[in-house]
Amino acid sequence: MKKFADVMLPLPLANRYTYSLPDALSDKIAIGCRVIVPFGRKKFYTAIVVSVHYCPPQEYETKDIAELLDEHPVLLPMQYKFWEWIASYYLCTPGDVYKAALPSGMKLESETIVELNPEFVADTPLPEKEQRILDLLSEEPMQCITQLEKSSEIKNSLSTIKSLLDKEAIFIKEELKHNYKPKTETRVRLTEAYMDEEMLHKLFDELARVPKQLALLMKYIEMSGFFGKGLLKEVTKKELLIRSGASPAVFNGLTKKRVFEIYHQEIGRLAQGLSATDGLHPLNPAQQEACKAILDTFRQKNVCLLHGVTSSGKTEIYIHLIQQAIRAGKQVLYLLPEIALTTQITERLKRVFGDRLGIYHSKFPDAERVEIWQKQLKKEPYDLIIGVRSSIFLPFQNLGLVIVDEEHESTYKQQDPAPRYHARNAAIVLASMYGAKTLLGTATPSVESYYNALRGKYGLVELTERYQDIQLPEIQVVDIQELIRKKIMKTPFSPRLLAEIRKALEQREQVILFQNRRGFAPMIECKTCGWIPKCKNCDVSLTYHKGLNQLTCHYCGATYPVPHSCPACGGVELLNRGFGTEKIEDDILQLFPEAKVARMDLDTTRTRTAYERIIHDFQEGKTDILIGTQMVSKGLDFDHVSVVGILNADTMLNFPDFRSHERAFQLMAQVAGRAGRKNRRGLVILQTKSVDLPVIRQVVDNDYGHLYADQLQERRLFHYPPFHRLIYVYLKHRKEEVLNVAADTLAAQLRVGLGDRVLGPDKPPVARIQTLFIKKIVIKVEQSASMNKICDYLQAVQRHIMEDERFRSLMVYYDVDPQ
Ligand code: ADP
Ligand code: ZN
Ligand code: ZN
């Protein structure tokens, strides 16, 4: 009997698609394996088999599966179940999830662009088809697969391409450029023989005759913290020589004696090649208690919230819990927001878990991500994966624990494209499917998580002491409204802040300045007529970037030359309105010409090395003042920052969103936490025009309790989460008139079934992006309602609308639990 397979395509299709199996494949195909299938006109895709059966579809004639790519499934049954849950909860298709989940190298399609690896040399002659493709690529090194198929006259080349990829003869073209030279650094460590206190003491005696070598060794021990309680620090050869004043000859003396050895570390590469050299740190009593409380909670509950002030040692607790889970034979997933996943944290974990740790990062080359995926399917997968939100899609064979660090971070929510999932919430569901536990950790919990914890849905463990009782910083509020009125604010910095920066520089301490806007000026304006340049594709004003000397749209990325005169009135005086990080940098350089300044924002961190280098240089004291957007607030541990300046709290507070005060509190608390870690109490200067807002007081007092109480009351009053669930329905169309009719029609039909749960349609703050007009309908659903029914209803109404001739090219999509 003829066999058929239903497959999932990497396309937003509502239904599965059925193909017939050619006899040769009939017995080989298994659920979860990838196949190559024709779809649409002359296009091929990599699809995943989701069922095998004997019933041909009634509606269409099936085509044959072209090829089978895998002997063993690359998608485990549990993953598929999880993907289906995501698709149904977040109102998208399994194809959307598939597209987001698999690294590009595993889902080749006709449109994929591949690139020649110029360094590839074949060991043995290549099959004829592969050679033909390579020849074509050596003429033009970057081509799309369709183009290659045309010129090579190979009808379906996907498996040939795959084979070339496996050989690393070609790469998938990455959106990010990877043509940077990795920067390496020579570092020093003790050889294994001397990694032992007793041996070292013997060595001290022996070296008494060679005082220069002894002095160098002592310096190394001081710098690495060998006898201390902290983690062993990485020591670079250069720093060691500078700080000890020793000559290279003295250094070589110690390497000859096999006391020191050197190794090369690529900076910016996340902890590759580090092996486990470190045991666990014993927890202090408060940490021990928290750790025990978490484990106790897990006996009754699946989720526990760890609310611990910055620097209380949450990460140390995670490390202990991870160790326990691994010892019990379980796998662990440790999620971090993209920007918090730095070398600092990965090196720390690598030193404990060595090669049992895999790192999954979106800025890694695709080939590395494919490797991790494949390894997770093998007999000996990584026990611990540390990764960004998309790592929830990886295969796990025996997941026991999920840690979601910085659980309050809004970047856990994927905005665009679908699936618009929330990685924290999805991780909780993933864990429950495996019978695993989830630990949410943060210094500033999201209102939703804290609410769940207080109501007993989650366990709650609080850690109120910082490790070694380092004090929280002192926060001083400066009223810039008042200073502007008195005409004292000539720069973005108040006199108080300038004085503190000066003092810090004199004492050779470091400063962080936080401004949550990049670019030079968020807006320019004609002094004469008030004209403001706007993006042609979007309904937003353009940001002026001085370094690039251009205007940029932060929504679609379009750039424009800076006009010399106003196109409206011809006036030549154009003013800068507001200030971004670039302007701050400019001003600081003028005010403190002797200071070494670095800027960290989206514009200066396009490559992963750039980002790591800025952090690294700051940590090493090569930079005095670090200016940045929220990137400077995350997961970084600096020792010499005495002053943090929050330049303008109002841009955060005035953002039109019901979460703006919660966000502002979280951001300011995190940024403030960077001040004064180990040595002494830090100082934060908080500049604002809204000194009387309760949230400012709450930041100053680090009073999460009152923040939560205030926010919760508002949320209850205005029907926001956690009391109501939100679903945003977005409609997009090229023509504004069509969009308006469609939005009104859709809203009216939704009201028939959902009544006054439906609000709008309204224009969102940015009502046109990339030439498409946008309207938004908000749906507020009470907790007791059935989400399933509501989602079914939404989709039924949408289908009905889409059948209307007038709305043919209308786009409709949903954002469930928007952030
Ligand atoms: P958090 O994650 O709560 O911000 P961390 O775990 O990063 O805190 O701890 C802050 C600092 O204190 C780190 O440098 C860490 O190495 C150190 N630390 C915390 N707990 C311990 C411990 N039990 N033993 C040694 N060092 C610790
Ligand atoms: Zn003008
Ligand atoms: Zn634009």
Side-chain angles (χ1 to χ4, degrees):
M1 233 161 106
K2 188 86 184 149
K3 267 196 193 173
F4 298 88
D6 291 350
V7 306
M8 173 164 57
L9 283 149
L11 295 169
L13 304 172
N15 302 323
R16 297 167 167 190
Y17 224 75
T18 308
Y19 287 86
S20 36
L21 292 185
D23 292 340
L25 294 181
S26 186
D27 296 327
K28 290 191 189 148
I29 259 175
I31 291 174
C33 287
R34 289 172 304 156
V35 288
I36 291 171
V37 294
F39 187 83
R41 285 191 56 222
K42 287 195 197 159
K43 279 202 182 139
F44 287 92
Y45 290 93
T46 306
I48 299 181
V49 177
V50 296
S51 79
V52 180
H53 54 81
Y54 295 97
C55 343
Q58 302 299 316
E59 300 80 7
Y60 53 95
E61 202 165 308
T62 54
K63 292 183 196 158
D64 265 359
I65 281 179
E67 234 156 315
L68 171 67
L69 289 183
D70 301 309
E71 258 173 69
H72 303 287
V74 295
L75 183 71
L76 305 176
M78 192 71 95
Q79 276 175 292
Y80 183 57
K81 190 174 151 204
F82 177 57
W83 290 14
E84 283 197 307
W85 175 82
I86 293 204
S88 80
Y89 186 84
Y90 292 103
L91 292 167
C92 62
T93 67
D96 288 322
V97 185
Y98 166 25
K99 230 179 144 152
L102 250 70
S104 309
M106 291 181 72
K107 49 167 198 242
L108 296 177
E109 51 182 90
S110 305
E111 274 129 37
T112 308
I113 296 175
V114 293
E115 228 180 306
L116 184 71
N117 175 4
E119 274 153 39
F120 174 73
V121 211
D123 307 335
T124 50
L126 294 173
E128 193 270 332
K129 279 186 181 175
E130 293 182 23
Q131 193 56 52
R132 226 190 302 166
I133 299 272
L134 274 195
D135 291 345
L136 285 167
L137 279 169
S138 53
E139 278 160 32
E140 198 188 324
M142 204 185 285
Q143 295 188 50
C144 125
I145 294 181
T146 316
Q147 191 182 339
L148 285 169
E149 282 177 354
K150 258 195 216 138
S151 350
S152 66
E153 295 174 350
I154 300 175
K155 234 175 88 201
N156 163 18
S157 69
L158 293 190
S159 61
T160 314
I161 299 278
K162 176 183 175 277
S163 166
L164 285 169
L165 265 180
D166 292 345
K167 296 186 173 107
E168 292 191 12
I170 60 172
F171 301 123
I172 300 286
K173 182 185 174 272
E174 312 267 344
E175 281 117 71
L176 287 158
K177 291 259 167 291
H178 49 68
N179 55 357
Y180 63 88
K181 268 224 175 316
K183 188 177 162 188
T184 60
E185 192 175 69
T186 310
R187 298 187 185 176
V188 187
R189 64 184 167 219
L190 292 174
T191 52
E192 204 163 324
Y194 288 103
M195 283 276 203
D196 174 275
E197 286 198 27
E198 209 174 302
M199 280 300 285
L200 272 181
H201 283 294
K202 262 193 216 150
L203 182 64
F204 293 158
D205 296 341
E206 284 167 30
L207 288 181
R209 292 169 294 112
V210 223
K212 279 187 181 163
Q213 289 187 359
L214 183 60
L216 178 61
L217 178 63
M218 296 311 273
K219 195 77 205 170
Y220 169 81
I221 286 176
E222 179 200 320
M223 286 171 69
S224 65
F226 189 84
F227 288 138
K229 290 218 173 62
L231 289 168
L232 263 192
K233 288 211 181 74
E234 310 267 335
V235 174
T236 66
K237 183 175 167 190
K238 196 169 151 206
E239 288 284 316
L240 180 61
L241 291 186
I242 291 173
R243 288 186 45 188
S244 64
S247 68
V250 176
F251 182 85
N252 292 340
L254 282 177
T255 40
K256 275 217 191 84
K257 286 190 182 138
R258 306 208 134 269
V259 176
F260 283 160
E261 61 186 6
I262 57 168
Y263 61 105
H264 300 280
Q265 177 73 36
E266 187 181 317
I267 324 172
R269 189 97 182 221
L270 293 176
Q272 298 270 328
L274 268 184
S275 56
T277 51
D278 223 21
L280 295 196
H281 295 273
L283 298 177
N284 71 17
Q287 292 168 341
Q288 271 173 32
E289 210 174 296
C291 195
K292 191 174 163 295
I294 293 167
L295 290 169
D296 284 346
T297 302
F298 281 157
R299 278 195 209 106
Q300 291 133 29
K301 292 181 177 144
N302 287 331
V303 185
C304 180
L305 174 66
L306 171 62
H307 176 205
V309 290
T310 46
S311 239
S312 52
K314 294 185 289 298
T315 317
E316 292 300 329
I317 295 179
Y318 303 153
I319 292 174
H320 279 254
L321 293 168
I322 293 168
Q323 177 90 327
Q324 286 198 15
I326 293 179
R327 287 224 172 110
K330 300 284 188 182
Q331 285 179 298
V332 180
L333 170 62
Y334 183 158
L335 286 178
L336 274 165
E338 179 98 22
I339 45 175
L341 185 53
T342 60
T343 349
Q344 280 192 349
I345 179 73
T346 47
E347 287 196 0
R348 204 163 146 189
L349 289 168
K350 265 278 172 187
R351 265 181 253 131
V352 181
F353 299 106
D355 53 17
R356 289 183 302 178
L357 164 68
I359 304 159
Y360 200 69
H361 196 293
S362 63
K363 287 201 174 146
F364 279 7
D366 195 70
E368 273 175 50
R369 275 180 283 166
V370 173
E371 230 176 273
I372 293 202
W373 190 291
Q374 297 289 9
K375 184 167 162 98
Q376 290 317 83
L377 295 163
K378 299 229 168 82
K379 233 197 199 136
E380 286 193 0
Y382 289 116
D383 296 320
L384 168 61
I385 294 281
I386 171 168
V388 293
R389 64 171 182 240
S390 58
S391 47
I392 59 171
F393 297 120
L394 282 170
F396 289 96
Q397 303 184 32
N398 191 15
L399 189 62
L401 174 66
V402 179
I403 294 168
V404 185
D405 198 9
E406 314 280 4
E407 67 83 26
H408 63 278
E409 264 295 321
S410 58
T411 51
Y412 276 128
K413 181 76 198 294
Q414 160 131 333
Q415 300 292 355
D416 256 321
R420 297 177 177 80
Y421 64 100
H422 196 302
R424 174 196 64 212
N425 300 350
I428 292 174
V429 172
L430 177 75
S432 74
M433 286 179 175
Y434 280 91
K437 304 293 177 185
T438 309
L439 178 63
L440 310 178
T442 173
T444 51
S446 63
V447 168
E448 287 86 341
S449 294
Y450 206 64
Y451 177 80
N452 282 331
L454 289 186
R455 292 208 331 158
K457 188 171 167 195
Y458 302 164
L460 176 64
V461 175
E462 313 223 67
L463 198 55
T464 50
E465 292 173 22
R466 291 181 124 191
Y467 180 66
Q468 290 178 333
D469 276 332
I470 304 155
Q471 279 181 296
L472 280 166
E474 177 190 359
I475 303 183
Q476 296 227 350
V477 180
V478 173
D479 182 352
I480 44 177
Q481 182 85 334
E482 177 73 10
L483 295 176
I484 291 170
R485 205 174 50 78
K486 292 185 182 153
K487 301 212 164 31
I488 297 175
M489 280 294 279
K490 298 225 164 51
T491 63
F493 321 102
S494 60
R496 175 72 204 276
L497 179 55
L498 286 178
E500 293 297 343
I501 296 175
R502 195 159 294 127
K503 200 162 101 194
L505 292 179
E506 277 164 16
Q507 294 174 354
R508 305 223 35 80
E509 287 164 345
Q510 290 173 304
V511 176
I512 291 180
L513 297 177
F514 168 70
Q515 166 66 2
N516 215 15
R517 263 200 181 143
R518 64 196 169 95
F520 192 82
M523 207 186 271
I524 61 175
E525 190 183 78
C526 168
K527 191 181 177 189
T528 322
C529 75
W531 171 81
I532 292 167
K534 289 200 163 169
C535 178
K536 288 199 183 83
N537 311 322
C538 315
D539 182 18
V540 286
S541 53
L542 299 170
T543 300
Y544 173 46
H545 288 252
K546 192 179 176 193
L548 302 166
N549 193 32
Q550 65 188 17
L551 300 172
T552 307
C553 170
H554 285 183
Y555 281 82
C556 72
T559 59
Y560 302 80
V562 182
H564 297 294
S565 59
C566 168
C569 75
V572 290
E573 253 189 292
L574 297 173
L575 305 175
N576 293 321
R577 286 260 169 262
F579 49 88
T581 42
E582 198 186 352
K583 166 113 170 69
I584 303 290
E585 185 185 19
D586 226 50
D587 289 352
I588 282 287
L589 285 170
Q590 287 188 16
L591 289 162
F592 302 98
E594 73 288 1
K596 278 164 280 157
V597 178
R599 170 160 62 96
M600 181 152 86
D601 56 29
L602 213 58
D603 300 313
T604 62
T605 55
R606 298 272 177 209
T607 66
R608 69 178 184 198
T609 34
Y611 175 59
E612 298 289 348
R613 203 166 300 157
I614 294 172
I615 293 173
H616 184 260
D617 285 353
F618 193 63
Q619 204 174 11
E620 302 271 292
K622 291 179 192 154
T623 316
D624 303 314
I625 304 178
L626 179 64
I627 297 161
T629 54
Q630 54 170 330
M631 278 187 185
V632 299
S633 68
K634 298 292 160 353
L636 303 172
D637 199 354
F638 301 122
D639 292 342
H640 302 286
V641 178
S642 61
V643 178
V644 166
I646 298 173
L647 295 173
N648 184 348
D650 307 311
T651 43
M652 295 180 270
L653 294 167
N654 298 336
F655 194 75
D657 183 86
F658 70 92
R659 287 196 179 90
S660 63
H661 284 200
E662 180 191 353
R663 286 273 146 71
F665 178 91
Q666 287 161 347
L667 257 176
M668 288 192 271
Q670 300 273 344
V671 179
R674 305 301 124 214
R677 305 266 288 199
K678 282 179 192 140
N679 309 327
R680 63 183 185 85
R681 191 166 187 206
L683 176 68
V684 179
I685 303 287
L686 196 175
Q687 303 189 151
T688 175
K689 292 179 187 169
S690 333
V691 279
D692 296 326
L693 279 182
V695 60
I696 295 291
R697 186 76 272 136
Q698 289 152 3
V699 171
V700 171
D701 299 340
N702 192 33
D703 185 356
Y704 179 77
H706 273 100
L707 173 97
Y708 172 75
D710 282 3
Q711 293 304 309
L712 200 70
Q713 200 180 4
E714 274 192 23
R715 305 271 193 106
R716 194 192 307 267
L717 206 58
F718 297 108
H719 293 191
Y720 281 119
F723 304 102
H724 282 67
R725 275 177 197 285
L726 293 181
I727 302 174
Y728 292 166
V729 187
Y730 286 98
L731 298 94
K732 287 189 178 178
H733 199 279
R734 227 161 266 282
K735 291 204 177 118
E736 196 169 15
E737 316 81 69
V738 179
L739 177 71
N740 288 342
V741 179
D744 290 339
T745 316
L746 182 65
Q749 292 199 11
L750 288 175
R751 283 201 174 87
V752 173
L754 302 175
D756 55 11
R757 295 186 187 96
V758 182
L759 305 170
D762 286 308
K763 270 191 178 183
V766 178
R768 188 166 157 259
I769 295 179
Q770 289 181 326
T771 74
L772 294 173
F773 290 93
I774 309 165
K775 281 240 162 152
K776 175 176 156 190
I777 297 171
V778 174
I779 300 173
K780 291 185 175 175
V781 185
E782 66 281 7
Q783 284 294 354
S784 55
S786 150
M787 273 297 264
N788 278 344
K789 273 193 193 148
I790 293 201
C791 291
D792 288 347
Y793 185 71
L794 288 177
Q795 285 174 320
V797 171
Q798 181 191 347
R799 271 195 298 276
H800 186 235
I801 290 273
M802 299 304 264
E803 281 163 13
D804 192 323
E805 269 296 299
R806 292 173 296 167
F807 307 140
R808 267 215 323 233
S809 49
L810 178 74
M811 279 191 263
V812 179
Y813 65 85
Y814 305 90
D815 190 357
V816 179
D817 299 341
Q819 282 294 302

